Structures are given as C-alpha cells and as structure tokens.
Amino acid sequence: MGDAHSDPSAASGDPVPRLLCDVKALAALDPAPAGARWRLAEPGRQLDANVVHVRPGMSIDAHTEPDLDVLLLVVAGGGVLGATGGSVPLSEGSLLWLPRGSTRSLTAGGAGLAYMTVHPRRPGMRIRSLGAPRDEGRDEEQGRG
C-alpha cells in the first residue's frame, strides 16, 4: 500500500483510489482524547467523513440534522443512540442510517465510543446582502428550496 499522505493522482491528473487512514488504529488510542480524531479533507471530494471518539459515560446532546442523511459506523466500544423512536444499543460494527430531520443523541458506554460518520458534503456558504432577493431556482437546484 502506498503512503497515505501522498497524492498518486498528482502525476497523471486522473483520480486514483488511495489509503487515507487506519480507522482501527485511530479508535484504539488509549486514552483517546474526545472529539474528532480524523476528517476527510481531500480536495474536490463530494463527501464528508469523520472519526469521532466519545469518552466513557460522556454524551453528545440531542440534535437534529435538517439537511443531510448520515451513515454512522461504530468502530470501537459501544453505547446508546437516543432517538425519537427509542434507544438503540450500539456495539462495534453497528451501522446506522440517520435520516435528515431525525433527532438523535449518543452516550458512550464504559469503554467509550469511537465511530465514523459519512454524509454528502455541505455546499459552501453564500453571502448575500440582507435586501438581496433569493435565487429560487439555484436554491432548489442545490437542495435548499
């Protein structure tokens, strides 16, 4: 396998699959600090992805993602997903679909919780003056209508 930090497409200009990180190694950091351990930052990508660690017994408060579906894969540890429909126990290998508009919280179990999320990349922010009319066609085209 090649170096995870080199860009093999640079020489040819063609996109080339490449190794980004070792998720098991990221999840196994002991004691792992809480928060994002890795973020997808490749130029030109259409996805966003993160590997996040939550310390034992700690929680991510209930929140709603109004715009994007998210896949969540538990890569180490376990815990509980709190959702409108009830609690869902999580363990290594659990794969969840978190549909846009759903409200959820996460609580890490006794060993902590490490998970990866993947979702479409958010479009860049656009700055408009307060009195400027919206470009309705453009907003609908980008899924914000």
PDB file of all heavy atoms in Angstrom, residues 61-101:
ATOM      1  N   ASP A  61     -25.223  15.654  23.103  1.00  0.00           N
ATOM      2  CA  ASP A  61     -26.615  16.037  23.341  1.00  0.00           C
ATOM      3  C   ASP A  61     -27.484  15.838  22.105  1.00  0.00           C
ATOM      4  O   ASP A  61     -26.997  15.828  20.975  1.00  0.00           O
ATOM      5  CB  ASP A  61     -26.694  17.501  23.775  1.00  0.00           C
ATOM      6  CG  ASP A  61     -26.095  17.735  25.153  1.00  0.00           C
ATOM      7  OD1 ASP A  61     -26.038  16.780  25.951  1.00  0.00           O
ATOM      8  OD2 ASP A  61     -25.671  18.878  25.422  1.00  0.00           O
ATOM      9  N   ALA A  62     -28.780  15.737  22.345  1.00  0.00           N
ATOM     10  CA  ALA A  62     -29.754  15.579  21.265  1.00  0.00           C
ATOM     11  C   ALA A  62     -29.628  16.739  20.284  1.00  0.00           C
ATOM     12  O   ALA A  62     -29.497  17.897  20.683  1.00  0.00           O
ATOM     13  CB  ALA A  62     -31.163  15.510  21.829  1.00  0.00           C
ATOM     14  N   HIS A  63     -29.618  16.408  19.012  1.00  0.00           N
ATOM     15  CA  HIS A  63     -29.534  17.399  17.948  1.00  0.00           C
ATOM     16  C   HIS A  63     -30.231  16.853  16.703  1.00  0.00           C
ATOM     17  O   HIS A  63     -30.448  15.653  16.585  1.00  0.00           O
ATOM     18  CB  HIS A  63     -28.075  17.763  17.648  1.00  0.00           C
ATOM     19  CG  HIS A  63     -27.263  16.592  17.184  1.00  0.00           C
ATOM     20  ND1 HIS A  63     -26.798  15.614  18.051  1.00  0.00           N
ATOM     21  CD2 HIS A  63     -26.851  16.224  15.954  1.00  0.00           C
ATOM     22  CE1 HIS A  63     -26.130  14.707  17.362  1.00  0.00           C
ATOM     23  NE2 HIS A  63     -26.148  15.045  16.081  1.00  0.00           N
ATOM     24  N   THR A  64     -30.564  17.736  15.795  1.00  0.00           N
ATOM     25  CA  THR A  64     -31.243  17.364  14.554  1.00  0.00           C
ATOM     26  C   THR A  64     -30.426  17.858  13.380  1.00  0.00           C
ATOM     27  O   THR A  64     -29.981  19.004  13.370  1.00  0.00           O
ATOM     28  CB  THR A  64     -32.650  17.997  14.498  1.00  0.00           C
ATOM     29  OG1 THR A  64     -33.382  17.579  15.636  1.00  0.00           O
ATOM     30  CG2 THR A  64     -33.396  17.595  13.238  1.00  0.00           C
ATOM     31  N   GLU A  65     -30.216  17.000  12.402  1.00  0.00           N
ATOM     32  CA  GLU A  65     -29.571  17.397  11.141  1.00  0.00           C
ATOM     33  C   GLU A  65     -30.691  17.597  10.130  1.00  0.00           C
ATOM     34  O   GLU A  65     -31.267  16.626   9.651  1.00  0.00           O
ATOM     35  CB  GLU A  65     -28.597  16.321  10.669  1.00  0.00           C
ATOM     36  CG  GLU A  65     -28.085  16.507   9.259  1.00  0.00           C
ATOM     37  CD  GLU A  65     -27.567  17.902   8.961  1.00  0.00           C
ATOM     38  OE1 GLU A  65     -26.576  18.311   9.580  1.00  0.00           O
ATOM     39  OE2 GLU A  65     -28.174  18.589   8.115  1.00  0.00           O
ATOM     40  N   PRO A  66     -31.006  18.851   9.804  1.00  0.00           N
ATOM     41  CA  PRO A  66     -32.166  19.094   8.950  1.00  0.00           C
ATOM     42  C   PRO A  66     -31.949  18.814   7.462  1.00  0.00           C
ATOM     43  O   PRO A  66     -32.917  18.612   6.739  1.00  0.00           O
ATOM     44  CB  PRO A  66     -32.445  20.584   9.167  1.00  0.00           C
ATOM     45  CG  PRO A  66     -31.117  21.162   9.532  1.00  0.00           C
ATOM     46  CD  PRO A  66     -30.397  20.079  10.291  1.00  0.00           C
ATOM     47  N   ASP A  67     -30.690  18.777   7.003  1.00  0.00           N
ATOM     48  CA  ASP A  67     -30.442  18.763   5.565  1.00  0.00           C
ATOM     49  C   ASP A  67     -29.826  17.491   5.003  1.00  0.00           C
ATOM     50  O   ASP A  67     -29.976  17.227   3.816  1.00  0.00           O
ATOM     51  CB  ASP A  67     -29.516  19.926   5.192  1.00  0.00           C
ATOM     52  CG  ASP A  67     -30.110  21.273   5.549  1.00  0.00           C
ATOM     53  OD1 ASP A  67     -31.331  21.447   5.368  1.00  0.00           O
ATOM     54  OD2 ASP A  67     -29.360  22.141   6.024  1.00  0.00           O
ATOM     55  N   LEU A  68     -29.102  16.721   5.801  1.00  0.00           N
ATOM     56  CA  LEU A  68     -28.309  15.620   5.255  1.00  0.00           C
ATOM     57  C   LEU A  68     -28.593  14.289   5.938  1.00  0.00           C
ATOM     58  O   LEU A  68     -28.698  14.224   7.161  1.00  0.00           O
ATOM     59  CB  LEU A  68     -26.814  15.919   5.415  1.00  0.00           C
ATOM     60  CG  LEU A  68     -26.296  17.207   4.803  1.00  0.00           C
ATOM     61  CD1 LEU A  68     -24.854  17.443   5.220  1.00  0.00           C
ATOM     62  CD2 LEU A  68     -26.427  17.168   3.300  1.00  0.00           C
ATOM     63  N   ASP A  69     -28.682  13.222   5.151  1.00  0.00           N
ATOM     64  CA  ASP A  69     -28.659  11.864   5.693  1.00  0.00           C
ATOM     65  C   ASP A  69     -27.223  11.572   6.127  1.00  0.00           C
ATOM     66  O   ASP A  69     -26.269  12.045   5.495  1.00  0.00           O
ATOM     67  CB  ASP A  69     -29.046  10.840   4.623  1.00  0.00           C
ATOM     68  CG  ASP A  69     -30.509  10.906   4.221  1.00  0.00           C
ATOM     69  OD1 ASP A  69     -31.310  11.548   4.914  1.00  0.00           O
ATOM     70  OD2 ASP A  69     -30.841  10.289   3.192  1.00  0.00           O
ATOM     71  N   VAL A  70     -27.074  10.775   7.184  1.00  0.00           N
ATOM     72  CA  VAL A  70     -25.748  10.437   7.704  1.00  0.00           C
ATOM     73  C   VAL A  70     -25.690   8.936   7.949  1.00  0.00           C
ATOM     74  O   VAL A  70     -26.629   8.346   8.478  1.00  0.00           O
ATOM     75  CB  VAL A  70     -25.466  11.182   9.037  1.00  0.00           C
ATOM     76  CG1 VAL A  70     -24.121  10.776   9.625  1.00  0.00           C
ATOM     77  CG2 VAL A  70     -25.533  12.695   8.843  1.00  0.00           C
ATOM     78  N   LEU A  71     -24.565   8.316   7.561  1.00  0.00           N
ATOM     79  CA  LEU A  71     -24.268   6.944   7.975  1.00  0.00           C
ATOM     80  C   LEU A  71     -23.315   7.020   9.146  1.00  0.00           C
ATOM     81  O   LEU A  71     -22.364   7.808   9.125  1.00  0.00           O
ATOM     82  CB  LEU A  71     -23.598   6.155   6.842  1.00  0.00           C
ATOM     83  CG  LEU A  71     -24.487   5.675   5.724  1.00  0.00           C
ATOM     84  CD1 LEU A  71     -23.654   4.950   4.661  1.00  0.00           C
ATOM     85  CD2 LEU A  71     -25.574   4.749   6.242  1.00  0.00           C
ATOM     86  N   LEU A  72     -23.562   6.222  10.174  1.00  0.00           N
ATOM     87  CA  LEU A  72     -22.706   6.173  11.357  1.00  0.00           C
ATOM     88  C   LEU A  72     -22.291   4.721  11.560  1.00  0.00           C
ATOM     89  O   LEU A  72     -23.158   3.843  11.646  1.00  0.00           O
ATOM     90  CB  LEU A  72     -23.448   6.706  12.576  1.00  0.00           C
ATOM     91  CG  LEU A  72     -22.666   6.805  13.876  1.00  0.00           C
ATOM     92  CD1 LEU A  72     -23.187   7.959  14.723  1.00  0.00           C
ATOM     93  CD2 LEU A  72     -22.667   5.535  14.674  1.00  0.00           C
ATOM     94  N   LEU A  73     -20.981   4.466  11.618  1.00  0.00           N
ATOM     95  CA  LEU A  73     -20.437   3.130  11.835  1.00  0.00           C
ATOM     96  C   LEU A  73     -19.639   3.134  13.125  1.00  0.00           C
ATOM     97  O   LEU A  73     -18.679   3.909  13.265  1.00  0.00           O
ATOM     98  CB  LEU A  73     -19.528   2.723  10.670  1.00  0.00           C
ATOM     99  CG  LEU A  73     -18.772   1.404  10.836  1.00  0.00           C
ATOM    100  CD1 LEU A  73     -19.740   0.223  10.911  1.00  0.00           C
ATOM    101  CD2 LEU A  73     -17.762   1.224   9.715  1.00  0.00           C
ATOM    102  N   VAL A  74     -20.021   2.293  14.087  1.00  0.00           N
ATOM    103  CA  VAL A  74     -19.274   2.179  15.337  1.00  0.00           C
ATOM    104  C   VAL A  74     -18.025   1.357  15.055  1.00  0.00           C
ATOM    105  O   VAL A  74     -18.112   0.216  14.602  1.00  0.00           O
ATOM    106  CB  VAL A  74     -20.126   1.524  16.446  1.00  0.00           C
ATOM    107  CG1 VAL A  74     -19.303   1.335  17.716  1.00  0.00           C
ATOM    108  CG2 VAL A  74     -21.379   2.359  16.732  1.00  0.00           C
ATOM    109  N   VAL A  75     -16.846   1.944  15.300  1.00  0.00           N
ATOM    110  CA  VAL A  75     -15.587   1.258  15.016  1.00  0.00           C
ATOM    111  C   VAL A  75     -14.922   0.714  16.275  1.00  0.00           C
ATOM    112  O   VAL A  75     -14.048  -0.151  16.188  1.00  0.00           O
ATOM    113  CB  VAL A  75     -14.611   2.154  14.217  1.00  0.00           C
ATOM    114  CG1 VAL A  75     -15.192   2.464  12.848  1.00  0.00           C
ATOM    115  CG2 VAL A  75     -14.285   3.430  14.954  1.00  0.00           C
ATOM    116  N   ALA A  76     -15.325   1.183  17.454  1.00  0.00           N
ATOM    117  CA  ALA A  76     -14.793   0.645  18.712  1.00  0.00           C
ATOM    118  C   ALA A  76     -15.714   1.036  19.853  1.00  0.00           C
ATOM    119  O   ALA A  76     -16.395   2.060  19.809  1.00  0.00           O
ATOM    120  CB  ALA A  76     -13.382   1.168  18.977  1.00  0.00           C
ATOM    121  N   GLY A  77     -15.723   0.200  20.877  1.00  0.00           N
ATOM    122  CA  GLY A  77     -16.523   0.491  22.054  1.00  0.00           C
ATOM    123  C   GLY A  77     -18.001   0.290  21.795  1.00  0.00           C
ATOM    124  O   GLY A  77     -18.407  -0.516  20.962  1.00  0.00           O
ATOM    125  N   GLY A  78     -18.798   1.050  22.515  1.00  0.00           N
ATOM    126  CA  GLY A  78     -20.239   0.926  22.379  1.00  0.00           C
ATOM    127  C   GLY A  78     -20.934   2.024  23.144  1.00  0.00           C
ATOM    128  O   GLY A  78     -20.305   2.909  23.717  1.00  0.00           O
ATOM    129  N   GLY A  79     -22.250   1.952  23.152  1.00  0.00           N
ATOM    130  CA  GLY A  79     -23.036   2.951  23.845  1.00  0.00           C
ATOM    131  C   GLY A  79     -24.488   2.852  23.453  1.00  0.00           C
ATOM    132  O   GLY A  79     -24.978   1.768  23.112  1.00  0.00           O
ATOM    133  N   VAL A  80     -25.164   3.985  23.451  1.00  0.00           N
ATOM    134  CA  VAL A  80     -26.588   4.029  23.157  1.00  0.00           C
ATOM    135  C   VAL A  80     -26.880   5.236  22.280  1.00  0.00           C
ATOM    136  O   VAL A  80     -26.402   6.341  22.542  1.00  0.00           O
ATOM    137  CB  VAL A  80     -27.418   4.137  24.458  1.00  0.00           C
ATOM    138  CG1 VAL A  80     -28.897   4.294  24.161  1.00  0.00           C
ATOM    139  CG2 VAL A  80     -27.175   2.933  25.348  1.00  0.00           C
ATOM    140  N   LEU A  81     -27.679   4.997  21.229  1.00  0.00           N
ATOM    141  CA  LEU A  81     -28.216   6.078  20.422  1.00  0.00           C
ATOM    142  C   LEU A  81     -29.597   6.383  20.969  1.00  0.00           C
ATOM    143  O   LEU A  81     -30.433   5.482  21.085  1.00  0.00           O
ATOM    144  CB  LEU A  81     -28.328   5.656  18.958  1.00  0.00           C
ATOM    145  CG  LEU A  81     -29.072   6.645  18.065  1.00  0.00           C
ATOM    146  CD1 LEU A  81     -28.122   7.729  17.582  1.00  0.00           C
ATOM    147  CD2 LEU A  81     -29.718   5.939  16.894  1.00  0.00           C
ATOM    148  N   GLY A  82     -29.831   7.613  21.346  1.00  0.00           N
ATOM    149  CA  GLY A  82     -31.163   8.045  21.757  1.00  0.00           C
ATOM    150  C   GLY A  82     -31.863   8.644  20.559  1.00  0.00           C
ATOM    151  O   GLY A  82     -31.271   9.446  19.833  1.00  0.00           O
ATOM    152  N   ALA A  83     -33.092   8.246  20.310  1.00  0.00           N
ATOM    153  CA  ALA A  83     -33.840   8.750  19.159  1.00  0.00           C
ATOM    154  C   ALA A  83     -35.307   8.852  19.525  1.00  0.00           C
ATOM    155  O   ALA A  83     -35.752   8.295  20.534  1.00  0.00           O
ATOM    156  CB  ALA A  83     -33.654   7.820  17.957  1.00  0.00           C
ATOM    157  N   THR A  84     -36.071   9.538  18.697  1.00  0.00           N
ATOM    158  CA  THR A  84     -37.499   9.716  18.929  1.00  0.00           C
ATOM    159  C   THR A  84     -38.203   8.378  19.105  1.00  0.00           C
ATOM    160  O   THR A  84     -39.074   8.237  19.951  1.00  0.00           O
ATOM    161  CB  THR A  84     -38.125  10.495  17.759  1.00  0.00           C
ATOM    162  OG1 THR A  84     -37.390  11.715  17.588  1.00  0.00           O
ATOM    163  CG2 THR A  84     -39.580  10.804  18.022  1.00  0.00           C
ATOM    164  N   GLY A  85     -37.801   7.367  18.346  1.00  0.00           N
ATOM    165  CA  GLY A  85     -38.429   6.050  18.414  1.00  0.00           C
ATOM    166  C   GLY A  85     -37.959   5.187  19.567  1.00  0.00           C
ATOM    167  O   GLY A  85     -38.433   4.071  19.732  1.00  0.00           O
ATOM    168  N   GLY A  86     -37.008   5.655  20.370  1.00  0.00           N
ATOM    169  CA  GLY A  86     -36.482   4.890  21.494  1.00  0.00           C
ATOM    170  C   GLY A  86     -34.973   4.797  21.447  1.00  0.00           C
ATOM    171  O   GLY A  86     -34.322   5.393  20.595  1.00  0.00           O
ATOM    172  N   SER A  87     -34.417   4.029  22.356  1.00  0.00           N
ATOM    173  CA  SER A  87     -32.972   3.859  22.450  1.00  0.00           C
ATOM    174  C   SER A  87     -32.519   2.673  21.613  1.00  0.00           C
ATOM    175  O   SER A  87     -33.212   1.662  21.527  1.00  0.00           O
ATOM    176  CB  SER A  87     -32.559   3.621  23.906  1.00  0.00           C
ATOM    177  OG  SER A  87     -32.871   4.752  24.681  1.00  0.00           O
ATOM    178  N   VAL A  88     -31.330   2.824  21.023  1.00  0.00           N
ATOM    179  CA  VAL A  88     -30.742   1.757  20.212  1.00  0.00           C
ATOM    180  C   VAL A  88     -29.370   1.436  20.790  1.00  0.00           C
ATOM    181  O   VAL A  88     -28.499   2.304  20.835  1.00  0.00           O
ATOM    182  CB  VAL A  88     -30.597   2.201  18.738  1.00  0.00           C
ATOM    183  CG1 VAL A  88     -29.936   1.115  17.899  1.00  0.00           C
ATOM    184  CG2 VAL A  88     -31.934   2.612  18.153  1.00  0.00           C
ATOM    185  N   PRO A  89     -29.168   0.194  21.269  1.00  0.00           N
ATOM    186  CA  PRO A  89     -27.841  -0.168  21.778  1.00  0.00           C
ATOM    187  C   PRO A  89     -26.837  -0.229  20.633  1.00  0.00           C
ATOM    188  O   PRO A  89     -27.159  -0.669  19.524  1.00  0.00           O
ATOM    189  CB  PRO A  89     -28.055  -1.549  22.396  1.00  0.00           C
ATOM    190  CG  PRO A  89     -29.331  -2.063  21.840  1.00  0.00           C
ATOM    191  CD  PRO A  89     -30.127  -0.898  21.360  1.00  0.00           C
ATOM    192  N   LEU A  90     -25.620   0.246  20.890  1.00  0.00           N
ATOM    193  CA  LEU A  90     -24.567   0.274  19.886  1.00  0.00           C
ATOM    194  C   LEU A  90     -23.383  -0.566  20.337  1.00  0.00           C
ATOM    195  O   LEU A  90     -23.015  -0.542  21.509  1.00  0.00           O
ATOM    196  CB  LEU A  90     -24.078   1.711  19.669  1.00  0.00           C
ATOM    197  CG  LEU A  90     -25.121   2.743  19.256  1.00  0.00           C
ATOM    198  CD1 LEU A  90     -24.501   4.134  19.213  1.00  0.00           C
ATOM    199  CD2 LEU A  90     -25.730   2.373  17.920  1.00  0.00           C
ATOM    200  N   SER A  91     -22.799  -1.290  19.396  1.00  0.00           N
ATOM    201  CA  SER A  91     -21.572  -2.035  19.664  1.00  0.00           C
ATOM    202  C   SER A  91     -20.699  -1.971  18.415  1.00  0.00           C
ATOM    203  O   SER A  91     -21.158  -1.543  17.339  1.00  0.00           O
ATOM    204  CB  SER A  91     -21.886  -3.488  20.038  1.00  0.00           C
ATOM    205  OG  SER A  91     -22.584  -4.119  18.981  1.00  0.00           O
ATOM    206  N   GLU A  92     -19.452  -2.385  18.550  1.00  0.00           N
ATOM    207  CA  GLU A  92     -18.537  -2.354  17.411  1.00  0.00           C
ATOM    208  C   GLU A  92     -19.173  -3.058  16.220  1.00  0.00           C
ATOM    209  O   GLU A  92     -19.704  -4.158  16.344  1.00  0.00           O
ATOM    210  CB  GLU A  92     -17.225  -3.030  17.779  1.00  0.00           C
ATOM    211  CG  GLU A  92     -16.165  -2.897  16.715  1.00  0.00           C
ATOM    212  CD  GLU A  92     -14.817  -3.419  17.151  1.00  0.00           C
ATOM    213  OE1 GLU A  92     -14.508  -3.374  18.356  1.00  0.00           O
ATOM    214  OE2 GLU A  92     -14.075  -3.876  16.273  1.00  0.00           O
ATOM    215  N   GLY A  93     -19.161  -2.392  15.083  1.00  0.00           N
ATOM    216  CA  GLY A  93     -19.755  -2.943  13.872  1.00  0.00           C
ATOM    217  C   GLY A  93     -21.170  -2.464  13.603  1.00  0.00           C
ATOM    218  O   GLY A  93     -21.682  -2.666  12.503  1.00  0.00           O
ATOM    219  N   SER A  94     -21.817  -1.818  14.566  1.00  0.00           N
ATOM    220  CA  SER A  94     -23.168  -1.289  14.329  1.00  0.00           C
ATOM    221  C   SER A  94     -23.112  -0.229  13.239  1.00  0.00           C
ATOM    222  O   SER A  94     -22.284   0.670  13.279  1.00  0.00           O
ATOM    223  CB  SER A  94     -23.738  -0.644  15.596  1.00  0.00           C
ATOM    224  OG  SER A  94     -23.917  -1.577  16.621  1.00  0.00           O
ATOM    225  N   LEU A  95     -24.009  -0.362  12.262  1.00  0.00           N
ATOM    226  CA  LEU A  95     -24.107   0.616  11.181  1.00  0.00           C
ATOM    227  C   LEU A  95     -25.500   1.208  11.227  1.00  0.00           C
ATOM    228  O   LEU A  95     -26.495   0.487  11.169  1.00  0.00           O
ATOM    229  CB  LEU A  95     -23.855  -0.057   9.822  1.00  0.00           C
ATOM    230  CG  LEU A  95     -23.982   0.829   8.589  1.00  0.00           C
ATOM    231  CD1 LEU A  95     -22.933   1.954   8.612  1.00  0.00           C
ATOM    232  CD2 LEU A  95     -23.836  -0.006   7.320  1.00  0.00           C
ATOM    233  N   LEU A  96     -25.565   2.527  11.338  1.00  0.00           N
ATOM    234  CA  LEU A  96     -26.854   3.203  11.452  1.00  0.00           C
ATOM    235  C   LEU A  96     -27.051   4.183  10.313  1.00  0.00           C
ATOM    236  O   LEU A  96     -26.096   4.821   9.869  1.00  0.00           O
ATOM    237  CB  LEU A  96     -26.919   4.006  12.757  1.00  0.00           C
ATOM    238  CG  LEU A  96     -26.830   3.203  14.027  1.00  0.00           C
ATOM    239  CD1 LEU A  96     -25.459   3.342  14.621  1.00  0.00           C
ATOM    240  CD2 LEU A  96     -27.877   3.662  14.972  1.00  0.00           C
ATOM    241  N   TRP A  97     -28.298   4.306   9.890  1.00  0.00           N
ATOM    242  CA  TRP A  97     -28.697   5.360   8.972  1.00  0.00           C
ATOM    243  C   TRP A  97     -29.422   6.388   9.809  1.00  0.00           C
ATOM    244  O   TRP A  97     -30.393   6.068  10.510  1.00  0.00           O
ATOM    245  CB  TRP A  97     -29.606   4.804   7.883  1.00  0.00           C
ATOM    246  CG  TRP A  97     -30.225   5.856   7.015  1.00  0.00           C
ATOM    247  CD1 TRP A  97     -29.578   6.880   6.371  1.00  0.00           C
ATOM    248  CD2 TRP A  97     -31.603   6.004   6.704  1.00  0.00           C
ATOM    249  NE1 TRP A  97     -30.475   7.641   5.661  1.00  0.00           N
ATOM    250  CE2 TRP A  97     -31.736   7.124   5.846  1.00  0.00           C
ATOM    251  CE3 TRP A  97     -32.742   5.298   7.052  1.00  0.00           C
ATOM    252  CZ2 TRP A  97     -32.962   7.553   5.349  1.00  0.00           C
ATOM    253  CZ3 TRP A  97     -33.961   5.725   6.536  1.00  0.00           C
ATOM    254  CH2 TRP A  97     -34.056   6.839   5.695  1.00  0.00           C
ATOM    255  N   LEU A  98     -28.959   7.623   9.761  1.00  0.00           N
ATOM    256  CA  LEU A  98     -29.583   8.723  10.473  1.00  0.00           C
ATOM    257  C   LEU A  98     -30.203   9.645   9.421  1.00  0.00           C
ATOM    258  O   LEU A  98     -29.515  10.470   8.820  1.00  0.00           O
ATOM    259  CB  LEU A  98     -28.541   9.477  11.306  1.00  0.00           C
ATOM    260  CG  LEU A  98     -27.700   8.608  12.250  1.00  0.00           C
ATOM    261  CD1 LEU A  98     -26.593   9.426  12.893  1.00  0.00           C
ATOM    262  CD2 LEU A  98     -28.575   7.946  13.297  1.00  0.00           C
ATOM    263  N   PRO A  99     -31.493   9.467   9.141  1.00  0.00           N
ATOM    264  CA  PRO A  99     -32.108  10.254   8.063  1.00  0.00           C
ATOM    265  C   PRO A  99     -32.187  11.736   8.418  1.00  0.00           C
ATOM    266  O   PRO A  99     -32.320  12.094   9.591  1.00  0.00           O
ATOM    267  CB  PRO A  99     -33.500   9.648   7.919  1.00  0.00           C
ATOM    268  CG  PRO A  99     -33.766   8.935   9.184  1.00  0.00           C
ATOM    269  CD  PRO A  99     -32.441   8.569   9.783  1.00  0.00           C
ATOM    270  N   ARG A 100     -32.101  12.566   7.394  1.00  0.00           N
ATOM    271  CA  ARG A 100     -32.203  14.011   7.627  1.00  0.00           C
ATOM    272  C   ARG A 100     -33.525  14.291   8.334  1.00  0.00           C
ATOM    273  O   ARG A 100     -34.522  13.622   8.104  1.00  0.00           O
ATOM    274  CB  ARG A 100     -32.078  14.783   6.327  1.00  0.00           C
ATOM    275  CG  ARG A 100     -33.240  14.615   5.398  1.00  0.00           C
ATOM    276  CD  ARG A 100     -32.974  15.408   4.114  1.00  0.00           C
ATOM    277  NE  ARG A 100     -34.052  15.244   3.178  1.00  0.00           N
ATOM    278  CZ  ARG A 100     -34.151  14.246   2.301  1.00  0.00           C
ATOM    279  NH1 ARG A 100     -33.215  13.330   2.241  1.00  0.00           N
ATOM    280  NH2 ARG A 100     -35.186  14.184   1.489  1.00  0.00           N
ATOM    281  N   GLY A 101     -33.475  15.238   9.246  1.00  0.00           N
ATOM    282  CA  GLY A 101     -34.661  15.596  10.015  1.00  0.00           C
ATOM    283  C   GLY A 101     -34.820  14.800  11.297  1.00  0.00           C
ATOM    284  O   GLY A 101     -35.634  15.151  12.141  1.00  0.00           O
TER     285      GLY A 101
END
